[in-house]
Amino acid sequence: MAELIAADPAPREHVLEFIRILEDGGGGAAIRPFLAEDFVLFEAPHLLAPEGSTRTLGQVLAGADQSGQVVAGQKFGIRRITCEGGRVVVEADWSATALMDLRYWDAGDTIRARTSSVFEVRGGLIVSQDSYDCYFRDS
């Protein structure tokens, strides 16, 4: 008898599930199944990283493990999703509570940003994410 093999989730649904895992506080082990071995995260310059950054899978997983010490209660308010083939563009309002004093926020403050991310999904895995984040400094 032939074995039934579940089809890879559509790129849009795969990215949305990845975002849900991040909202649930998922660390490296929780997000690993969504990311390809050669995954790369590019972050354009923003308030917290004025020079931007490019991170490999290992660096992203380590950062996910550490994020629970920095922020809690991440929320992504999806504004718009555009999908063409394996490319998924997500525009969202992001917020989280700072768990420690940061450059522009004190512990307990709400950090807010408007984000746009371009994900490339191949073979059911995210191979890259280019993020463009605009953080708000409440006055």
Side-chain angles (χ1 to χ4, degrees), residues 115-137:
T115 70
S116 293
S117 290
V118 180
F119 296 87
E120 290 290 338
V121 180
R122 285 191 212 113
L125 296 172
I126 301 169
V127 296
S128 68
Q129 177 184 351
D130 291 5
S131 282
Y132 307 91
D133 304 326
C134 179
Y135 287 86
F136 299 97
R137 288 179 53 195

Side-chain angles (χ1 to χ4, degrees), residues 20-90:
R20 283 191 278 280
I21 296 295
L22 292 174
E23 280 188 320
D24 288 343
I31 66 170
R32 177 62 185 97
F34 293 87
L35 307 175
E37 190 65 37
D38 59 347
F39 174 80
V40 174
L41 170 63
F42 165 79
E43 287 183 292
H46 58 75
L47 192 60
L48 295 176
E51 295 178 14
S53 71
T54 301
R55 292 188 269 165
T56 63
L57 175 63
Q59 293 167 320
V60 167
L61 296 176
D65 286 337
Q66 295 170 349
S67 70
Q69 299 167 20
V70 180
V71 297
Q74 290 190 80
K75 301 284 184 226
F76 290 86
I78 306 293
R79 288 179 164 263
R80 185 177 13 231
I81 298 175
T82 305
C83 186
E84 181 179 309
R87 179 170 291 155
V88 180
V89 179
V90 177

Side-chain angles (χ1 to χ4, degrees), residues 89-127:
V89 179
V90 177
E91 297 173 67
D93 293 318
W94 175 87
S95 65
T97 302
L99 296 177
M100 61 174 53
D101 291 342
L102 301 170
R103 183 172 181 181
Y104 298 104
W105 299 276
D106 295 328
D109 286 351
T110 298
I111 304 170
R112 297 180 314 110
R114 179 74 181 270
T115 70
S116 293
S117 290
V118 180
F119 296 87
E120 290 290 338
V121 180
R122 285 191 212 113
L125 296 172
I126 301 169
V127 296

Side-chain angles (χ1 to χ4, degrees), residues 14-29:
H14 190 72
V15 168
L16 286 174
E17 184 61 23
F18 174 72
I19 290 170
R20 283 191 278 280
I21 296 295
L22 292 174
E23 280 188 320
D24 288 343

